[in-house]
Amino acid sequence: MKRILVLLTVLGLLLSAVLSGGCFAVPDPTDERSLGSQYDDASIKTSIASKMLSESPTKANAVNVHCFLGHVFLVGEADSAFRQFCVETAQKTSGVNHVTTHWFADDTSNTLSDSALEAQIDGNLLFTKSVPSTQVVVDVWGGNVVLTGIMADQADIDR
């Protein structure tokens, strides 16, 4: 009985971390990046997100930060001053090679229907065995879908 309780506790903690977006980096065994690259990218992402939160917690909540092999993607909505702050912060962060932005109008909020669409796309990618979906991040803002990540070739991107 004690083992079952411990197992359920561990599973609950893992589920909580996954559902909350996780505040720690767990290497993905199917990721083509080395473990070092995965941790470097997680460190870059955390550094940028922390500086954004320090500048404006409310505005930072409307911008997602992703990093793949030192390439940072900023996705979301922000006024021009905060957009500039985010880009400059990313560019000044050690290890960043390039910054790509996908900005939406300030009123293009991420809604419940956006979250449902995001979950549907995530699920479809997960069950598409020919595409390594663990390397794709899905962001939806006002019905606009942005896919970022690493793909082996153009055929995977097209799929």
Side-chain angles (χ1 to χ4, degrees), residues 6-19:
V6 169
L7 179 61
L8 289 174
T9 302
V10 169
L11 288 174
L13 289 172
L14 287 173
L15 182 61
S16 294
V18 168
L19 292 176

Side-chain angles (χ1 to χ4, degrees), residues 64-79:
N64 294 332
V65 180
H66 308 295
C67 185
F68 300 94
L69 300 173
H71 187 149
V72 172
F73 297 87
L74 302 171
V75 182
E77 61 183 37
D79 59 46

